[in-house]
């Protein structure tokens, strides 16, 4: 081995070891961040927002205090529950009719029907 | 007299005419000879022929076997362009100052093209698999062992530190990174050799040969039961996590290795363009038109830089040998580290060691090789999504490794 190679070997070894360690360290940091820090922060934010929601409901309910307000809310709830029968199934299904003819789509039916307007021709 | 003189005159005229005709023919012959001396046929050397054959092999591999055609066809054509013999001094060759090719090559020599390619890669990369299973990031780091061991191997083969650093990065299996670091360390300036061409060609050749190089190593280092390991499906990653990733990735990696800023900065910038949801137009441009234009320019100029007189040397052969070793070590590093991680993992958290091979960062070819290899042993085992994690982590890892080498040797 010549002198120039020997001279480079020490530096090379240092770069080899330090280089591998730094690459591992930087990607390890990314790993730690996304494995532990991000979920922790997300959980924290979630917990906080849940807490705030709870508080918001509490303060709202605390505001309803007078008898008139309670009666108004009760009336609204009663009316709502009474009208539930008006709720229809929002799912609309279009099924093809087996028959070709329908008075709803008949031109002749509509043009030949005497109009009940009281007018005489 | 007149007649005589006329005769004499006419005789003289014919002599002058015949002398003139002779000189015209001579001139024509000289012109033709001169023209011939400028042609490729006159100046061709064995080296040119060899390089043209290499170029044709590249083009054939790309067309016949679909091996990285987007790279091999521009590079192959570039090699042909670079090895058409010509007489120097007419601003034709890539190394002649003022030539068109020289201007285009400027983007390689000054390391302009690689960061632009990274911008495009960032804009087309989905880091979801990495975010959903962050431990796979470490496989991308493990594969960089190939870079540093090859660096050391190159020193033992007699290369100086800068040359060894540029050669080592071939193991990162990342063409733009290899070109970037070569343009900084071995660009032919400040007493260094110009090794950009051989290093770039070696890096891209081995990237194209990933489906050939990696499977035997993967088979050698894994048992059948290990190849059959099924990993649990990655969880759904939220939009916020996807937006946070490029920002945190940019901050963490570049604070540690600022020399990699042009590469990592552009990579994460491109990814933020994609994930922000507000800059779709820019992301679309970066991942399509822009990266295509830069790939064409990069491929052709890198290919053209392999003029036989510069390229066909023992140094290039050594670089190719080290490059192959680098790829093998990097693949082995990833696979072995996955096996090492499995010692500490239980149940469905275990990693299929095949995905460690994808840590070499040849995106997405090595991940595709892992998928094919996994399906060879279990048709219902889909490893592609899992392999994409070490694959993209390898891109980050090789850029960090390049930054480290630059900060030591630059």
């Amino acid at each position: 081995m010549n002198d120039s190679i020997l001279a480079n070997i020490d530096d090379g070894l240092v770069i080899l070891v330090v280089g591998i360690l730094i690459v591992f360290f930087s990607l390890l940091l990314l790993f730690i961040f996304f494995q532990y820090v991000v979920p922790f922060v997300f959980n924290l934010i979630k917990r906080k927002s849940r807490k705030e929601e709870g508080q918001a409901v509490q303060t709202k309910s605390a505001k309803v205090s007078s008898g008139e307000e309670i009666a108004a809310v009760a009336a609204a709830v009663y009316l709502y529950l009474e009208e539930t029968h008006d709720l229809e199934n929002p799912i609309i299904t279009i099924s093809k009719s087996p028959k070709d003819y329908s008075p709803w789509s008949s031109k002749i039916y509509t043009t030949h029907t005497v109009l009940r307007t009281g007018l005489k021709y | 007299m007149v007649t005589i003189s006329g005769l004499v005159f006419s005789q003289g005229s014919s002599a002058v005419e015949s002398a003139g005709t002779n000189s015209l023919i001579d001139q024509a012959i000289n012109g033709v000879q001169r023209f011939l001396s400028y042609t490729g046929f006159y100046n061709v050397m064995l080296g040119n022929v060899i390089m043209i054959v290499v170029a044709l092999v590249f083009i054939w591999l790309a067309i016949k076997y679909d091996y990285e055609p987007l790279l091999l066809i521009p590079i192959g054509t570039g090699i042909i362009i670079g090895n058409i013999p010509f007489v120097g001094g007419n601003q034709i060759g890539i190394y002649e100052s003022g030539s068109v090719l020289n201007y285009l090559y400027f983007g390689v020599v000054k390391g302009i093209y690689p960061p632009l390619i990274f911008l495009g890669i960032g804009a087309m990369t989905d880091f979801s698999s990495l975010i959903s299973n962050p431990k796979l990031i470490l496989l991308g780091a493990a594969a960089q062992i190939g870079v540093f061991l090859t660096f050391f191997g190159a020193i033992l083969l007699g290369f100086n530190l800068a040359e060894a650093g540029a050669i080592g990065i071939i193991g990162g299996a990342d063409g733009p990174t290899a070109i970037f670091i070569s343009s900084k360390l071995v660009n032919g300036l400040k007493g260094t050799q110009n090794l950009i061409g051989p290093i770039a060609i070696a890096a891209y050749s081995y990237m194209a040969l990933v489906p050939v190089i990696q499977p035997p190593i993967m088979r050698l280092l894994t048992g059948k039961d290990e190849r059959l390991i099924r990993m649990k499906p990655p969880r759904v990653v939220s939009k916020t996590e996807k937006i946070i990733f490029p920002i945190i990735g940019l901050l963490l990696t570049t604070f540690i290795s600022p020399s990699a800023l042009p590469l990592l900065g552009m990579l994460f910038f491109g990814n933020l363009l994609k994930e922000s949801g507000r800059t779709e137009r820019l992301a679309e441009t970066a991942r399509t038109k822009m990266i295509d234009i830069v790939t064409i320019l990069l491929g052709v100029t890198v290919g053209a830089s392999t003029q036989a007189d510069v390229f066909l040397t023992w140094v290039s052969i050594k670089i190719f040998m080290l490059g192959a070793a680098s790829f093998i070590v990097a693949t082995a590093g990833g696979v072995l580290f996955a096996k090492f991680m499995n010692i500490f993992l239980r149940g469905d958290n275990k990693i299929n060691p095949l995905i460690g091979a994808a840590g070499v960062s040849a995106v997405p070819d090595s991940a595709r090789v892992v998928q094919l290899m996994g399906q060879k042993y279990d048709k219902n085992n889909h490893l592609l999504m899992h392999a994409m994690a070490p694959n993209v982590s390898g891109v980050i890892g090789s850029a960090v490794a390049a930054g480290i080498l630059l900060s030591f040797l630059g």
Side-chain angles (χ1 to χ4, degrees), chain A residues 1 5 8-9 11-13 15-16 18-20 22-31 33-35 38 42, chain B residues 134-135 137-138 141-142 144 148-149 151-152 155-156 158 160-161 238 241 245 248 256 337 400 404 408-409:
Chain A
M1 228 177 262
I5 295 176
N8 286 334
I9 281 180
D11 290 338
L13 268 176
I15 296 172
L16 166 73
V18 175
I20 290 174
I22 296 176
V23 171
F24 263 97
F25 178 66
S26 19
L27 293 183
L28 192 72
L29 268 183
L30 263 182
F31 158 66
F33 199 89
F34 282 91
Q35 182 79 28
V38 169
F42 274 31
Chain B
K135 62 176 174 288
I137 293 176
L138 298 175
Q144 306 315 315
F148 291 100
L149 284 180
F151 160 73
F152 196 67
I155 291 172
L156 295 178
N160 65 35
L161 288 171
S238 72
E241 284 174 289
F245 185 81
I248 298 299
I256 292 169
F337 196 76
V400 172
I404 293 163
F408 272 109
L409 310 168

Side-chain angles (χ1 to χ4, degrees), chain B residues 200-269:
Chain B
I201 296 289
Y204 280 119
S205 310
Y206 292 130
M207 276 168 69
L209 293 173
V210 156
V212 179
I213 299 172
Q214 288 200 314
I217 304 158
M218 291 154 81
R219 260 195 301 271
L220 189 74
L221 297 175
T222 53
K224 200 180 173 190
D225 52 333
E226 287 174 318
R227 287 176 224 143
L228 292 170
I229 292 176
R230 285 197 179 198
M231 295 172 67
K232 67 176 176 188
R235 69 172 172 84
V236 177
V237 174
S238 72
K239 182 89 189 150
T240 319
E241 284 174 289
K242 284 185 183 179
I243 294 171
I244 289 173
F245 185 81
I247 298 168
I248 298 299
L250 175 63
L251 289 171
L252 286 182
T253 54
T254 53
F255 262 74
I256 292 169
S257 176
S259 305
L261 189 59
L263 297 175
L264 290 171
M266 292 304 236
L267 177 79
F268 289 123
F269 169 48

Side-chain angles (χ1 to χ4, degrees), chain B residues 34 38 62 120 182 188 204 224 282 332 346 365 374 377 386:
Chain B
R34 207 168 154 209
Y38 276 97
S182 317
Y204 280 119
K224 200 180 173 190
L282 302 185
R346 292 281 166 270
D365 264 20
Y377 297 92
H386 303 291

Side-chain angles (χ1 to χ4, degrees), chain B residues 170 194-203 305-306 310-311 315-316 319-320:
Chain B
I170 297 171
N194 185 352
L195 300 179
I196 299 173
I199 289 173
I201 296 289
S305 71
T306 61
V310 180
F311 190 80
V315 172
S316 299
I319 289 172
F320 266 77

